[in-house]
Amino acid sequence: MSRYSRHIVLSEVGPQGQALLSSAKVLVIGAGGLGCPVLQYLAAAGIGTLGIIDFDVVELSNLQRQILFGTSSIGMNKALAAKNRLEDLNPTIQMNAYPEKLTAKNVLTLFDRYDIIVDGSDNFATRYLVNDASIITDKPVVFGAIYKFEGQVSVFNYLNGPSYRCLFPTPPKEGSVANCSEVGVLGVLPGIIGSMQANEVIKMILGFEHVLTGKLLCYNSKTADITTIKVKKSEKEFEKVHALKDQLIDQYPESICEINVEDISAEDALNKENVQFIDVREQDEYPQIDIPPNLQIPLDILEQNLNRLPPEKEYIIFCQSGVRSKLAVQLLKELDIQHCYSLRGGALAIVEHLKIKT
Amino acid sequence: MNLNIKYFGLLAEISGCTEEKLEFNKTSVSELMETLFEKHPSLREKDFQIAQNHEITSKEMPVTENEIALLPPFSGG
């Protein structure tokens, strides 16, 4: 027990409190800016069962803030990379990595296996899915969200408290609120907000009185100002979710991974002649792929660059792992470019294939 | 009455400040919003909640407190 001696000497924790932490089961949604510090502190604190779900891979531009990962993790799935690192930090706990997207199909079974859900996601669709599933499965959610230099923290659906929908009833219009990759974020900020989330998780498990429920904490890292805003429970918002329970799957679009477009393996793609490859990743994404003829047009400006793509040509679209390329193929087909395929597994699959060949 | 309006996140970028003083002579929160939309037109298209004296309020409520906050949802993580 010397691993936890600094916890155990605290009269508010003691051996009983540490035993509560050891028997707790916490699921962390997203191993990104918020998820990384949450996972690090919860693993170190000896949370008995720690789940991590993330479908994304570690990129070079993540390392500025996602300090659970190192350069050697680049290209690895985040949930698996996090598990690897955390097993060294604390091999005595059970770590479950889910290298997949959280969807309406898997969310309820997954939530059922845990006591507390931590929301470290980076988009509204997932945040509302987490909210609705937490109400259906009756699990508390430790919420955190960031924007540039500011963060929000709260505990929802805890001891009859309000939910995320009691604060923000409906998701904002798609694209009206930018994410970190578009607007940037101060690297330390998710460290602060994620640590606050980890702190709330531990307080809940230990049964502390003043859990951050019924209020939203707003932190500004530029001014060091903290403002808390009271949020009331709205029964109406809970009823709405319960009423939609059976339609949960219809409420949320299928996972992007399940979009049905024509795809092609790395091997077949590289053997094809007279095709134009299009890399739809951002400029700084790693690994760089140099297979001619290769155009680099990030997904968000693809439509504006349509004039560079003669419609009679054949195109193979790739991104990092094969998600954005599916969206790109869908978009190009709508824009009347018929001969285009999504490269399965993206740049990572190309690198793998080239490795096997040499 | 003399109000202190606080802007969070993107809303502070639109208004150009994190807080500002405002002399307000009408009654409801929705009238206050109209005044703010005239001052900062881009606010109108944004999603946010309004708090009075550190408590979420609704547009139908009268403005009774000096401290007003405009809170947008953040998605980043």
Side-chain angles (χ1 to χ4, degrees):
Chain A
M1 273 314 222
S2 65
R3 175 182 284 274
Y4 307 117
S5 60
R6 299 301 186 275
H7 266 166
I8 292 167
V9 292
L10 290 168
S11 59
E12 292 84 350
V13 183
Q16 304 88 335
Q18 193 58 49
L20 289 172
L21 293 171
S22 297
S23 58
K25 297 178 186 143
V26 179
L27 176 67
V28 180
I29 316 288
L34 296 171
C36 282
V38 169
L39 287 163
Q40 280 167 298
Y41 277 112
L42 294 186
I47 298 297
T49 308
L50 200 49
I52 316 155
I53 179 163
D54 202 316
F55 72 98
D56 212 355
V57 293
V58 180
E59 286 169 27
L60 183 60
S61 65
N62 296 151
L63 302 186
Q64 160 257 19
R65 62 194 182 286
Q66 298 173 22
I67 58 175
L68 175 62
F69 306 123
T71 309
S72 62
S73 314
I74 292 172
M76 283 176 74
N77 169 269
K78 286 185 176 179
L80 298 172
K83 185 178 183 223
N84 276 350
R85 167 71 188 102
L86 295 169
E87 272 169 351
D88 180 43
L89 177 61
N90 191 347
T92 70
I93 63 172
Q94 170 69 38
M95 217 101 57
N96 302 326
Y98 308 98
E100 56 196 276
K101 206 175 158 81
L102 187 77
T103 67
K105 279 186 184 159
N106 61 14
V107 68
L108 299 180
T109 9
L110 211 48
F111 280 22
D112 269 334
R113 296 182 205 148
Y114 293 89
D115 311 320
I116 298 173
I117 313 299
V118 181
D119 183 2
S121 63
D122 64 356
N123 62 84
F124 286 115
T126 307
R127 292 190 180 283
Y128 281 84
L129 177 64
V130 167
N131 177 78
D132 296 356
S134 76
I135 289 174
I136 292 168
T137 54
D138 196 20
K139 307 283 174 174
V141 176
V142 180
F143 163 88
I146 51 175
Y147 177 81
K148 290 188 179 178
F149 296 91
E150 292 176 56
Q152 297 173 337
V153 192
S154 190
V155 175
F156 292 122
N157 200 29
Y158 180 63
L159 300 181
N160 210 23
S163 73
Y164 184 54
R165 279 189 193 268
C166 303
L167 173 62
F168 297 114
T170 47
K173 295 169 275 298
E174 202 58 52
S176 68
V177 182
N179 63 33
C180 293
S181 66
E182 289 159 3
V183 300
V185 62
L186 187 74
V188 182
L189 177 73
I192 296 170
I193 300 299
S195 301
M196 285 183 177
Q197 288 178 275
N199 185 50
E200 292 306 314
V201 171
I202 291 170
K203 281 162 62 184
M204 288 157 74
I205 296 167
L206 295 176
F208 282 13
E209 257 176 79
H210 303 288
V211 171
L212 191 62
T213 172
K215 48 195 167 185
L216 179 75
L217 184 150
C218 307
Y219 173 73
N220 184 326
S221 67
K222 265 193 196 158
T223 58
D225 277 338
I226 290 178
T227 310
T228 45
I229 305 286
K230 276 190 217 151
V231 183
K232 281 204 193 96
K233 181 175 181 175
S234 158
E235 292 297 344
K236 201 179 72 192
E237 294 302 330
F238 278 76
E239 283 161 20
K240 259 200 266 177
V241 173
H242 281 298
L244 289 170
K245 187 178 164 180
D246 299 330
Q247 300 160 36
L248 184 68
I249 288 171
D250 305 331
Q251 280 293 299
Y252 293 89
E254 290 282 294
S255 153
I256 288 166
C257 307
E258 291 158 24
I259 291 179
N260 229 343
V261 297
E262 283 178 78
D263 61 4
I264 185 165
S265 70
E267 187 178 357
D268 292 347
L270 294 169
N271 287 334
K272 247 181 181 309
E273 283 173 13
N274 293 323
V275 296
Q276 169 78 60
F277 283 88
I278 306 175
D279 182 351
V280 292
R281 298 176 300 166
E282 301 294 318
Q283 295 286 349
D284 58 349
E285 285 186 62
Y286 181 93
Q288 283 180 0
I289 302 288
D290 202 14
I291 37 165
N294 185 4
L295 271 176
Q296 189 168 31
I297 314 176
L299 177 60
D300 54 351
I301 56 165
L302 188 60
E303 193 167 350
Q304 292 98 291
N305 282 275
L306 196 62
N307 57 350
R308 292 167 70 187
L309 312 175
E312 67 283 355
K313 253 188 111 107
E314 204 170 13
Y315 298 95
I316 291 176
I317 323 290
F318 70 94
C319 57
Q320 188 71 0
S321 60
V323 177
R324 276 172 287 177
S325 58
K326 285 187 178 183
L327 293 171
V329 167
Q330 215 176 28
L331 175 72
L332 290 176
K333 295 232 165 175
E334 281 167 22
L335 297 169
D336 275 337
I337 294 193
Q338 291 309 327
H339 309 293
C340 49
Y341 309 91
S342 161
L343 197 147
R344 270 201 303 279
L348 302 172
I350 297 177
V351 171
E352 273 307 304
H353 179 70
L354 294 176
K355 249 192 241 164
I356 295 165
K357 250 178 75 182
T358 49
Chain B
M1 64 198 291
N2 240 323
L3 303 181
N4 188 38
I5 319 282
K6 280 188 161 188
Y7 299 97
F8 289 83
L10 180 65
L11 307 183
E13 290 162 32
I14 291 173
S15 70
C17 57
T18 51
E19 54 189 288
E20 65 180 348
K21 304 264 182 241
L22 182 82
E23 180 58 35
F24 180 66
N25 300 317
K26 294 176 184 161
T27 47
S28 71
V29 172
S30 61
E31 285 168 318
L32 171 60
M33 286 306 117
E34 278 308 316
T35 311
L36 293 178
F37 292 156
E38 272 165 39
K39 214 170 166 202
H40 311 292
S42 307
L43 278 183
R44 196 184 289 274
E45 294 119 50
K46 296 296 165 192
D47 294 284
F48 57 87
Q49 290 296 323
I50 308 144
Q52 282 201 72
N53 198 25
H54 303 269
E55 188 162 348
I56 298 291
T57 186
S58 62
K59 288 194 170 157
E60 305 74 50
M61 299 293 282
V63 177
T64 54
E65 306 289 342
N66 302 93
E67 187 80 28
I68 305 289
L70 271 55
L71 303 146
F74 296 164
S75 68

